Amino acid sequence: MSTVGIIGAGNIGSTLARGLVDRGYDVVISNSREPETLQHLVAELGPRARAATAADAAAAGDWVIVTVPLGAIYAIPAAPLAGKIVVDTNNYYWERDGHIAELDEKTTTTSEMLQRRLPDSTVVKGFNHIMSSQILTDGAAPGTPGRRALATASDSAAGVDFVTRLYEAFGFDTVNVGPLSESWRVERDQPAYVVRQTATELQENLARAQR
C-alpha cells in the first residue's frame, strides 16, 4: 500500500504529505481548486508527489486521507474510495462550518458523518488532535520515556490496526477510543484535544471527556 491519496492540502494535509514522502510513500494530493495550484507544494515534496483532482487522488490511493473542512465532505467522491481505508482528520468548528444540528445535539460525530458519506469505505479517525506543526517533530522511538500518544477510532478493527501502524511510523503510541460513535472524546473542547500526553494520560483524558 505504497500510494496515498490526500484530499485536502491545508496544514495537516501538506504536513502529512511531507511525512509520508519521507517514509517512502508516493503521494497524490488534491485541494478544492485546480491541481496546478499545488505545483509549488509538489515541487517541494519531490518526485514521489503529484497533484491531482480529488477524484483522481481518491482513485490513485491505496488508502486515502480526508482532511477538508467538514462542509466539504459532501463533495468527497465516494465511488473511487470503495473498499479503501480512509483516515479522517476532521473536527467540528461551527464558526467555520456553520451550525450542524446533529453535532450540536450530540447525536453523531464528524467521523460518523464521513462514514455515512462513504458507506463502502473503512473510515478511521487519525491525526485530529495534534497541531499540524507537531506531527513531524513530536514523534519518538518506541520505549522513549514520555512518548506522545495519539487516539484513533473506527468501527473496524482493521482500521484501528492500520492507524496504529501509521502512528508508529510517525513515532507515536496509539490509544484506541473505540467505535466512531466514541470519537467525540478526542475532538474539540475535550481534555485530550491538542495537548501533549502519554498513552496513560490520554486514556485518563478520554475518561474525563463530557458530552
Side-chain angles (χ1 to χ4, degrees), residues 11-13 15-16 23 67 87-91 93 125-140 147-152 163 166-167 170-173 186-188 190-197 202:
N11 291 334
I12 292 178
T15 299
L16 286 173
R23 286 158 178 80
T67 179
V87 179
D88 169 40
T89 76
N90 213 340
N91 296 290
Y93 294 94
K125 200 77 173 179
F127 292 105
N128 78 295
H129 68 116
I130 181 172
M131 301 291 289
S132 61
S133 59
Q134 299 169 344
I135 291 173
L136 302 183
T137 62
D138 274 20
R147 191 188 199 208
R148 186 167 182 172
L150 297 177
T152 189
V163 167
L166 182 62
Y167 280 168
F170 279 79
F172 299 103
D173 287 334
V186 74
E187 289 197 343
R188 179 189 179 184
Q190 298 296 343
Y193 189 64
V194 294
V195 296
R196 198 186 193 290
Q197 56 211 312
L202 176 51

Short mmCIF file of all heavy atoms in Angstrom, two decimals, residues 11-13 15-16 23 67 87-91 93 125-140 147-152 163 166-167 170-173 186-188 190-197 202:
data_model
loop_
_atom_site.label_atom_id
_atom_site.label_comp_id
_atom_site.label_asym_id
_atom_site.label_seq_id
_atom_site.Cartn_x
_atom_site.Cartn_y
_atom_site.Cartn_z
N ASN A 11 -2.92 22.70 6.24
CA ASN A 11 -1.78 22.47 7.11
C ASN A 11 -1.56 20.99 7.42
O ASN A 11 -0.44 20.49 7.34
CB ASN A 11 -1.95 23.25 8.42
CG ASN A 11 -1.85 24.74 8.22
OD1 ASN A 11 -1.20 25.21 7.29
ND2 ASN A 11 -2.48 25.50 9.09
N ILE A 12 -2.63 20.29 7.76
CA ILE A 12 -2.48 18.86 8.10
C ILE A 12 -2.17 18.05 6.85
O ILE A 12 -1.26 17.22 6.84
CB ILE A 12 -3.74 18.34 8.80
CG1 ILE A 12 -3.88 18.98 10.18
CG2 ILE A 12 -3.66 16.81 8.95
CD1 ILE A 12 -5.11 18.56 10.93
N GLY A 13 -2.90 18.29 5.76
CA GLY A 13 -2.67 17.53 4.55
C GLY A 13 -1.26 17.69 4.00
O GLY A 13 -0.60 16.70 3.64
N THR A 15 1.41 18.69 5.66
CA THR A 15 2.38 18.15 6.62
C THR A 15 2.44 16.63 6.53
O THR A 15 3.53 16.03 6.51
CB THR A 15 2.02 18.57 8.05
OG1 THR A 15 2.06 20.00 8.13
CG2 THR A 15 3.00 17.99 9.06
N LEU A 16 1.29 15.98 6.48
CA LEU A 16 1.29 14.53 6.34
C LEU A 16 1.91 14.11 5.02
O LEU A 16 2.59 13.08 4.94
CB LEU A 16 -0.13 13.99 6.47
CG LEU A 16 -0.70 14.00 7.89
CD1 LEU A 16 -2.17 13.60 7.88
CD2 LEU A 16 0.09 13.08 8.81
N ARG A 23 8.82 8.88 4.36
CA ARG A 23 8.76 7.49 4.79
C ARG A 23 8.57 6.53 3.62
O ARG A 23 8.23 5.36 3.81
CB ARG A 23 7.64 7.33 5.83
CG ARG A 23 8.04 7.93 7.18
CD ARG A 23 6.86 8.29 8.06
NE ARG A 23 7.32 8.81 9.34
CZ ARG A 23 7.74 10.06 9.53
NH1 ARG A 23 7.76 10.93 8.50
NH2 ARG A 23 8.16 10.45 10.71
N THR A 67 -8.87 15.35 4.70
CA THR A 67 -8.54 16.42 5.63
C THR A 67 -9.04 17.74 5.06
O THR A 67 -8.28 18.60 4.63
CB THR A 67 -7.02 16.42 5.95
OG1 THR A 67 -6.71 17.48 6.83
CG2 THR A 67 -6.17 16.46 4.69
N VAL A 87 -8.60 7.71 6.26
CA VAL A 87 -8.22 8.34 7.53
C VAL A 87 -8.83 9.72 7.59
O VAL A 87 -8.60 10.56 6.71
CB VAL A 87 -6.68 8.41 7.67
CG1 VAL A 87 -6.31 9.10 8.99
CG2 VAL A 87 -6.07 7.02 7.61
N ASP A 88 -9.62 9.95 8.61
CA ASP A 88 -10.37 11.20 8.79
C ASP A 88 -9.71 12.05 9.87
O ASP A 88 -9.63 11.64 11.02
CB ASP A 88 -11.81 10.87 9.19
CG ASP A 88 -12.59 12.09 9.65
OD1 ASP A 88 -12.41 13.16 9.04
OD2 ASP A 88 -13.37 11.97 10.62
N THR A 89 -9.27 13.24 9.51
CA THR A 89 -8.60 14.13 10.47
C THR A 89 -9.52 15.22 11.01
O THR A 89 -9.07 16.08 11.77
CB THR A 89 -7.38 14.83 9.83
OG1 THR A 89 -7.84 15.89 8.96
CG2 THR A 89 -6.51 13.86 9.05
N ASN A 90 -10.79 15.19 10.66
CA ASN A 90 -11.64 16.37 10.85
C ASN A 90 -12.10 16.59 12.28
O ASN A 90 -12.17 15.67 13.10
CB ASN A 90 -12.86 16.28 9.95
CG ASN A 90 -13.32 17.65 9.46
OD1 ASN A 90 -12.97 18.67 10.04
ND2 ASN A 90 -14.09 17.67 8.39
N ASN A 91 -12.45 17.85 12.55
CA ASN A 91 -13.11 18.29 13.77
C ASN A 91 -14.19 19.28 13.37
O ASN A 91 -14.14 19.88 12.30
CB ASN A 91 -12.11 18.97 14.72
CG ASN A 91 -11.04 18.03 15.22
OD1 ASN A 91 -11.31 17.12 16.00
ND2 ASN A 91 -9.82 18.23 14.76
N TYR A 93 -15.91 22.73 13.76
CA TYR A 93 -15.79 24.12 14.19
C TYR A 93 -17.01 24.87 13.64
O TYR A 93 -17.05 25.19 12.44
CB TYR A 93 -14.51 24.75 13.63
CG TYR A 93 -13.24 24.16 14.18
CD1 TYR A 93 -12.58 23.13 13.50
CD2 TYR A 93 -12.69 24.62 15.37
CE1 TYR A 93 -11.42 22.58 13.99
CE2 TYR A 93 -11.52 24.08 15.87
CZ TYR A 93 -10.89 23.06 15.18
OH TYR A 93 -9.73 22.52 15.67
N LYS A 125 -10.49 7.43 12.46
CA LYS A 125 -10.04 8.74 12.93
C LYS A 125 -8.53 8.73 13.10
O LYS A 125 -7.95 7.76 13.61
CB LYS A 125 -10.71 9.05 14.28
CG LYS A 125 -10.72 10.53 14.64
CD LYS A 125 -11.79 11.22 13.86
CE LYS A 125 -11.97 12.68 14.28
NZ LYS A 125 -13.01 13.35 13.49
N GLY A 126 -7.89 9.82 12.70
CA GLY A 126 -6.45 9.91 12.87
C GLY A 126 -5.94 11.33 12.75
O GLY A 126 -6.46 12.13 11.97
N PHE A 127 -4.94 11.67 13.54
CA PHE A 127 -4.24 12.95 13.47
C PHE A 127 -5.17 14.15 13.66
O PHE A 127 -4.88 15.24 13.15
CB PHE A 127 -3.49 13.09 12.14
CG PHE A 127 -2.33 12.15 11.98
CD1 PHE A 127 -2.42 11.04 11.16
CD2 PHE A 127 -1.13 12.39 12.65
CE1 PHE A 127 -1.34 10.17 11.02
CE2 PHE A 127 -0.05 11.53 12.51
CZ PHE A 127 -0.15 10.42 11.68
N ASN A 128 -6.26 13.99 14.39
CA ASN A 128 -7.19 15.12 14.53
C ASN A 128 -6.96 15.94 15.79
O ASN A 128 -7.49 17.04 15.92
CB ASN A 128 -8.64 14.62 14.55
CG ASN A 128 -9.03 14.04 15.89
OD1 ASN A 128 -8.46 13.02 16.29
ND2 ASN A 128 -9.96 14.68 16.58
N HIS A 129 -6.16 15.42 16.74
CA HIS A 129 -5.98 16.16 17.99
C HIS A 129 -4.50 16.45 18.27
O HIS A 129 -4.03 16.38 19.40
CB HIS A 129 -6.64 15.42 19.17
CG HIS A 129 -5.97 14.13 19.55
ND1 HIS A 129 -5.35 13.95 20.76
CD2 HIS A 129 -5.83 12.98 18.88
CE1 HIS A 129 -4.84 12.73 20.83
NE2 HIS A 129 -5.12 12.12 19.69
N ILE A 130 -3.82 16.83 17.22
CA ILE A 130 -2.43 17.27 17.31
C ILE A 130 -2.26 18.44 16.37
O ILE A 130 -2.82 18.45 15.26
CB ILE A 130 -1.45 16.12 16.96
CG1 ILE A 130 0.00 16.60 17.07
CG2 ILE A 130 -1.74 15.52 15.58
CD1 ILE A 130 1.03 15.47 16.93
N MET A 131 -1.51 19.45 16.81
CA MET A 131 -1.24 20.58 15.93
C MET A 131 -0.42 20.10 14.74
O MET A 131 0.48 19.26 14.88
CB MET A 131 -0.47 21.66 16.69
CG MET A 131 -1.19 22.20 17.91
SD MET A 131 -2.64 23.18 17.50
CE MET A 131 -1.85 24.64 16.81
N SER A 132 -0.73 20.63 13.57
CA SER A 132 -0.01 20.20 12.37
C SER A 132 1.49 20.41 12.51
O SER A 132 2.29 19.61 12.02
CB SER A 132 -0.54 20.94 11.14
OG SER A 132 -0.35 22.34 11.26
N SER A 133 1.89 21.47 13.21
CA SER A 133 3.31 21.78 13.37
C SER A 133 4.04 20.76 14.23
O SER A 133 5.27 20.73 14.25
CB SER A 133 3.47 23.17 13.99
OG SER A 133 2.83 23.23 15.26
N GLN A 134 3.30 19.90 14.94
CA GLN A 134 3.92 18.93 15.84
C GLN A 134 3.97 17.52 15.25
O GLN A 134 4.62 16.64 15.81
CB GLN A 134 3.15 18.90 17.17
CG GLN A 134 3.18 20.24 17.90
CD GLN A 134 2.21 20.29 19.07
OE1 GLN A 134 1.31 19.46 19.18
NE2 GLN A 134 2.39 21.26 19.94
N ILE A 135 3.29 17.31 14.14
CA ILE A 135 3.21 15.96 13.57
C ILE A 135 4.59 15.41 13.22
O ILE A 135 4.89 14.23 13.45
CB ILE A 135 2.29 15.96 12.33
CG1 ILE A 135 0.83 16.19 12.76
CG2 ILE A 135 2.42 14.65 11.55
CD1 ILE A 135 -0.13 16.36 11.61
N LEU A 136 5.44 16.25 12.69
CA LEU A 136 6.77 15.80 12.26
C LEU A 136 7.85 16.06 13.29
O LEU A 136 9.01 15.72 13.05
CB LEU A 136 7.13 16.48 10.93
CG LEU A 136 6.16 16.25 9.77
CD1 LEU A 136 6.69 16.92 8.50
CD2 LEU A 136 5.91 14.77 9.54
N THR A 137 7.50 16.63 14.43
CA THR A 137 8.51 16.97 15.43
C THR A 137 8.35 16.23 16.75
O THR A 137 9.34 16.10 17.49
CB THR A 137 8.49 18.48 15.73
OG1 THR A 137 7.21 18.84 16.27
CG2 THR A 137 8.76 19.29 14.47
N ASP A 138 7.15 15.75 17.07
CA ASP A 138 6.91 15.20 18.40
C ASP A 138 7.04 13.68 18.48
O ASP A 138 6.93 13.11 19.57
CB ASP A 138 5.51 15.60 18.90
CG ASP A 138 5.51 16.96 19.58
OD1 ASP A 138 6.46 17.73 19.35
OD2 ASP A 138 4.58 17.24 20.34
N GLY A 139 7.27 13.03 17.38
CA GLY A 139 7.43 11.58 17.40
C GLY A 139 8.73 11.18 18.08
O GLY A 139 9.69 11.94 18.14
N ALA A 140 8.73 9.95 18.60
CA ALA A 140 9.91 9.42 19.28
C ALA A 140 9.96 7.91 19.10
O ALA A 140 8.97 7.26 18.74
CB ALA A 140 9.87 9.77 20.76
N ARG A 147 6.82 9.27 25.72
CA ARG A 147 6.44 9.25 24.31
C ARG A 147 4.99 9.68 24.13
O ARG A 147 4.10 9.24 24.85
CB ARG A 147 6.63 7.85 23.74
CG ARG A 147 6.53 7.78 22.21
CD ARG A 147 6.54 6.33 21.76
NE ARG A 147 6.89 6.22 20.34
CZ ARG A 147 6.49 5.22 19.56
NH1 ARG A 147 5.73 4.25 20.05
NH2 ARG A 147 6.87 5.17 18.30
N ARG A 148 4.78 10.56 23.18
CA ARG A 148 3.44 11.09 22.94
C ARG A 148 2.54 10.02 22.35
O ARG A 148 2.97 9.20 21.54
CB ARG A 148 3.50 12.30 22.02
CG ARG A 148 2.15 12.99 21.84
CD ARG A 148 2.29 14.35 21.18
NE ARG A 148 0.99 15.01 21.07
CZ ARG A 148 0.82 16.27 20.68
NH1 ARG A 148 1.87 17.02 20.38
NH2 ARG A 148 -0.40 16.79 20.61
N ALA A 149 1.27 10.07 22.72
CA ALA A 149 0.28 9.14 22.19
C ALA A 149 -0.81 9.90 21.46
O ALA A 149 -1.14 11.04 21.81
CB ALA A 149 -0.34 8.31 23.32
N LEU A 150 -1.36 9.27 20.45
CA LEU A 150 -2.49 9.81 19.70
C LEU A 150 -3.62 8.79 19.70
O LEU A 150 -3.39 7.58 19.80
CB LEU A 150 -2.08 10.14 18.26
CG LEU A 150 -1.02 11.22 18.08
CD1 LEU A 150 -0.66 11.38 16.61
CD2 LEU A 150 -1.47 12.54 18.67
N ALA A 151 -4.82 9.28 19.59
CA ALA A 151 -6.01 8.42 19.63
C ALA A 151 -6.51 8.09 18.24
O ALA A 151 -6.28 8.84 17.28
CB ALA A 151 -7.12 9.09 20.43
N THR A 152 -7.21 6.99 18.14
CA THR A 152 -7.90 6.63 16.91
C THR A 152 -9.24 6.00 17.27
O THR A 152 -9.47 5.60 18.42
CB THR A 152 -7.06 5.66 16.06
OG1 THR A 152 -7.68 5.50 14.78
CG2 THR A 152 -6.91 4.31 16.72
N VAL A 163 -4.15 2.41 11.46
CA VAL A 163 -3.69 3.69 12.00
C VAL A 163 -2.66 3.48 13.11
O VAL A 163 -1.74 4.29 13.27
CB VAL A 163 -4.88 4.54 12.48
CG1 VAL A 163 -4.42 5.73 13.32
CG2 VAL A 163 -5.64 5.06 11.26
N LEU A 166 0.45 3.27 11.32
CA LEU A 166 0.78 4.58 10.77
C LEU A 166 1.34 5.49 11.85
O LEU A 166 2.36 6.17 11.65
CB LEU A 166 -0.46 5.20 10.13
CG LEU A 166 -0.30 6.56 9.45
CD1 LEU A 166 0.69 6.48 8.29
CD2 LEU A 166 -1.66 7.07 8.97
N TYR A 167 0.68 5.52 13.00
CA TYR A 167 1.20 6.32 14.11
C TYR A 167 2.61 5.87 14.50
O TYR A 167 3.48 6.70 14.79
CB TYR A 167 0.27 6.18 15.32
CG TYR A 167 -0.98 7.03 15.30
CD1 TYR A 167 -1.99 6.78 16.23
CD2 TYR A 167 -1.16 8.07 14.40
CE1 TYR A 167 -3.15 7.56 16.25
CE2 TYR A 167 -2.32 8.84 14.41
CZ TYR A 167 -3.31 8.58 15.35
OH TYR A 167 -4.44 9.35 15.37
N PHE A 170 5.23 7.33 12.47
CA PHE A 170 5.48 8.73 12.77
C PHE A 170 6.02 8.93 14.19
O PHE A 170 6.30 10.06 14.60
CB PHE A 170 4.21 9.56 12.57
CG PHE A 170 3.95 9.94 11.15
CD1 PHE A 170 3.41 9.03 10.26
CD2 PHE A 170 4.26 11.21 10.67
CE1 PHE A 170 3.17 9.38 8.92
CE2 PHE A 170 4.03 11.57 9.36
CZ PHE A 170 3.49 10.65 8.47
N GLY A 171 6.13 7.85 14.96
CA GLY A 171 6.75 7.94 16.28
C GLY A 171 5.80 8.17 17.43
O GLY A 171 6.21 8.72 18.46
N PHE A 172 4.55 7.71 17.30
CA PHE A 172 3.56 7.92 18.35
C PHE A 172 2.99 6.60 18.84
O PHE A 172 2.80 5.66 18.06
CB PHE A 172 2.40 8.79 17.84
CG PHE A 172 2.82 10.15 17.38
CD1 PHE A 172 2.93 10.44 16.03
CD2 PHE A 172 3.11 11.16 18.30
CE1 PHE A 172 3.32 11.71 15.58
CE2 PHE A 172 3.50 12.42 17.87
CZ PHE A 172 3.61 12.70 16.51
N ASP A 173 2.69 6.54 20.14
CA ASP A 173 1.89 5.45 20.67
C ASP A 173 0.44 5.67 20.26
O ASP A 173 0.04 6.77 19.90
CB ASP A 173 1.99 5.41 22.20
CG ASP A 173 3.34 4.89 22.69
OD1 ASP A 173 3.99 4.13 21.95
OD2 ASP A 173 3.73 5.24 23.82
N VAL A 186 -12.24 12.78 21.63
CA VAL A 186 -10.92 13.32 21.31
C VAL A 186 -11.03 14.52 20.37
O VAL A 186 -10.07 14.93 19.75
CB VAL A 186 -10.03 12.20 20.72
CG1 VAL A 186 -10.42 11.85 19.29
CG2 VAL A 186 -8.55 12.54 20.83
N GLU A 187 -12.22 15.11 20.30
CA GLU A 187 -12.41 16.26 19.44
C GLU A 187 -12.35 17.56 20.24
O GLU A 187 -12.04 17.58 21.43
CB GLU A 187 -13.71 16.12 18.65
CG GLU A 187 -13.62 15.03 17.58
CD GLU A 187 -14.70 15.12 16.52
OE1 GLU A 187 -15.71 15.80 16.75
OE2 GLU A 187 -14.51 14.51 15.45
N ARG A 188 -12.63 18.62 19.58
CA ARG A 188 -12.51 19.97 20.12
C ARG A 188 -13.20 20.13 21.48
O ARG A 188 -14.27 19.59 21.72
CB ARG A 188 -13.13 20.95 19.12
CG ARG A 188 -13.10 22.39 19.56
CD ARG A 188 -13.94 23.23 18.63
NE ARG A 188 -13.94 24.63 19.03
CZ ARG A 188 -14.66 25.57 18.45
NH1 ARG A 188 -15.44 25.26 17.44
NH2 ARG A 188 -14.61 26.81 18.87
N GLN A 190 -12.50 18.95 24.31
CA GLN A 190 -12.37 17.84 25.24
C GLN A 190 -10.96 17.82 25.84
O GLN A 190 -10.03 18.39 25.27
CB GLN A 190 -12.67 16.51 24.54
CG GLN A 190 -14.08 16.40 23.99
CD GLN A 190 -15.14 16.42 25.10
OE1 GLN A 190 -14.84 16.20 26.28
NE2 GLN A 190 -16.39 16.70 24.72
N PRO A 191 -10.78 17.19 27.00
CA PRO A 191 -9.48 17.23 27.68
C PRO A 191 -8.31 16.71 26.85
O PRO A 191 -7.17 17.14 27.05
CB PRO A 191 -9.70 16.36 28.92
CG PRO A 191 -11.16 16.44 29.18
CD PRO A 191 -11.80 16.52 27.83
N ALA A 192 -8.58 15.78 25.92
CA ALA A 192 -7.49 15.17 25.14
C ALA A 192 -7.12 15.97 23.90
O ALA A 192 -6.19 15.60 23.18
CB ALA A 192 -7.88 13.75 24.72
N TYR A 193 -7.82 17.06 23.65
CA TYR A 193 -7.64 17.77 22.38
C TYR A 193 -6.39 18.65 22.39
O TYR A 193 -6.20 19.49 23.27
CB TYR A 193 -8.88 18.63 22.10
CG TYR A 193 -8.90 19.24 20.71
CD1 TYR A 193 -8.95 18.43 19.59
CD2 TYR A 193 -8.85 20.61 20.53
CE1 TYR A 193 -8.97 18.97 18.32
CE2 TYR A 193 -8.87 21.17 19.26
CZ TYR A 193 -8.93 20.33 18.16
OH TYR A 193 -8.93 20.87 16.89
N VAL A 194 -5.54 18.45 21.40
CA VAL A 194 -4.31 19.22 21.13
C VAL A 194 -3.47 19.49 22.37
O VAL A 194 -2.92 20.58 22.54
CB VAL A 194 -4.58 20.52 20.34
CG1 VAL A 194 -5.09 20.20 18.97
CG2 VAL A 194 -5.53 21.47 21.05
N VAL A 195 -3.33 18.49 23.24
CA VAL A 195 -2.37 18.58 24.33
C VAL A 195 -1.39 17.42 24.19
O VAL A 195 -1.73 16.35 23.68
CB VAL A 195 -3.05 18.53 25.72
CG1 VAL A 195 -3.95 19.74 25.90
CG2 VAL A 195 -3.84 17.25 25.91
N ARG A 196 -0.17 17.65 24.63
CA ARG A 196 0.83 16.60 24.56
C ARG A 196 0.60 15.66 25.74
O ARG A 196 0.56 16.10 26.89
CB ARG A 196 2.23 17.20 24.62
CG ARG A 196 3.29 16.25 24.13
CD ARG A 196 4.70 16.79 24.31
NE ARG A 196 5.66 16.01 23.56
CZ ARG A 196 6.02 14.77 23.86
NH1 ARG A 196 5.49 14.15 24.91
NH2 ARG A 196 6.91 14.13 23.12
N GLN A 197 0.46 14.36 25.46
CA GLN A 197 0.12 13.41 26.51
C GLN A 197 0.66 12.03 26.18
O GLN A 197 0.77 11.65 25.02
CB GLN A 197 -1.40 13.36 26.70
CG GLN A 197 -2.17 13.01 25.44
CD GLN A 197 -3.55 13.64 25.37
OE1 GLN A 197 -4.30 13.59 26.31
NE2 GLN A 197 -3.86 14.24 24.23
N LEU A 202 -3.48 10.09 28.04
CA LEU A 202 -4.54 10.15 27.04
C LEU A 202 -5.74 9.32 27.48
O LEU A 202 -6.90 9.75 27.36
CB LEU A 202 -4.01 9.68 25.69
CG LEU A 202 -5.00 9.59 24.53
CD1 LEU A 202 -5.80 10.87 24.36
CD2 LEU A 202 -4.26 9.25 23.23
#
